[in-house]
Amino acid sequence: MAAGISERISAFVEALPLKPGLRVLEIGCGPGVAARAVARRVGHGFVLAIDRSEKAIRSARAGSADEIASGYLDFRHAAIEDFALRPNEALFDIAFAMRVGALDGRHPEAGRAALARIKAALKPGGRLFIDGGDPLKEIELDSGLPS
């Protein structure tokens, strides 16, 4: 386990099917702990981490200067239900979220909007993982969120 990372986050990141070169979208990144861990695992890939909280994004950026400078990690202030790729931005291979209300059943309407946005941001065959499994579970984008 890397220094400064909880056992829960470490187990989640280790369970993700990551490999060098992947493009990964983290939803609800908070201070960026998982995003930095994923960026280390995808090497010359890319991680975009988003959060609806401007404060969280400021904290994530402040703690990730080296990774951001490398060009393999970036943070964006956005709620997943409003997220859209920028013009000419490449699609993602994997998306993941931990403790995000729009994806864990707490906010069903936001969840439906979030799934549509995630599906639009992923490559065909792209995969979405959320917490709540042991330690994660995959959401089939065409099936919707579990109730």
Side-chain angles (χ1 to χ4, degrees), residues 4-23:
I5 187 169
S6 73
E7 190 172 314
R8 176 184 65 84
I9 293 173
S10 181
F12 187 96
V13 170
E14 287 298 317
L16 287 169
L18 300 173
K19 62 184 179 184
L22 289 180
R23 287 182 53 83

Side-chain angles (χ1 to χ4, degrees), residues 18-90:
L18 300 173
K19 62 184 179 184
L22 289 180
R23 287 182 53 83
V24 179
L25 173 65
E26 181 183 6
I27 302 152
C29 65
V33 174
R36 287 187 294 274
V38 170
R40 286 189 290 275
R41 299 239 349 252
V42 298
H44 293 292
F46 178 75
V47 178
L48 175 64
I50 67 170
D51 200 289
R52 69 177 57 248
S53 164
E54 287 184 59
K55 182 179 178 182
I57 293 299
R58 282 193 305 272
S59 175
R61 285 183 179 140
S64 307
D66 291 341
E67 294 89 347
I68 293 170
S70 75
Y72 302 122
L73 175 63
D74 199 7
F75 295 93
R76 192 175 303 164
H77 176 229
I80 188 55
E81 59 270 25
D82 301 320
F83 177 75
L85 294 173
R86 292 180 175 159
N88 300 315
E89 188 170 21

Side-chain angles (χ1 to χ4, degrees), residues 85-134:
L85 294 173
R86 292 180 175 159
N88 300 315
E89 188 170 21
L91 295 170
F92 293 91
D93 299 290
I94 291 175
F96 75 95
M98 290 182 279
R99 297 185 177 171
V100 173
L103 297 173
D104 67 9
R106 288 182 281 165
H107 306 287
E109 191 170 312
R112 286 186 289 281
L115 285 180
R117 298 297 183 139
I118 294 165
K119 189 172 182 178
L122 289 173
K123 293 177 180 176
R127 301 170 72 186
L128 169 62
F129 298 91
I130 64 170
D131 54 343
D134 186 21

